[in-house]
Amino acid sequence: MRTTLDLDGRLLKEAMARAKTHTKTETVEQGLRELIRATQRQRLLTLRGSGYGMSLQAFLRHRSDE
């Protein structure tokens, strides 16, 4: 998909150096993938501990009883 972007040149150059990418497209795509992964991780963190309907201590106690 072709898109025109107005990017900060210094920011893009630093991102390319840190990401070790060779093209602007590769850099932007890698940045978008990382943004998606980061938001997925954040979503998982907010769900932490909510799946079993019990506290971590109760879950561990239940496991040790078996």
Side-chain angles (χ1 to χ4, degrees):
M1 166 197 282
R2 280 198 157 291
T3 302
T4 302
L5 300 171
D6 184 20
L7 302 172
D8 179 327
R10 285 182 283 166
L11 183 64
L12 183 58
K13 190 173 187 176
E14 183 176 349
M16 289 176 76
R18 289 177 183 244
K20 296 180 175 73
T21 53
H22 301 292
T23 67
K24 295 173 189 175
T25 299
E26 186 181 7
T27 305
V28 170
E29 286 178 352
Q30 185 171 329
L32 292 172
R33 280 191 293 276
E34 182 54 37
L35 175 64
I36 292 167
R37 279 194 298 270
T39 56
Q40 287 172 334
R41 280 192 303 272
Q42 188 59 42
R43 184 178 152 275
L44 289 173
L45 283 173
T46 62
L47 295 174
R48 190 172 87 186
S50 65
Y52 295 103
M54 64 176 81
S55 69
L56 175 60
Q57 290 79 16
F59 176 74
L60 293 173
R61 218 175 16 257
H62 176 72
R63 283 190 58 190
S64 66
D65 291 342
E66 293 178 355

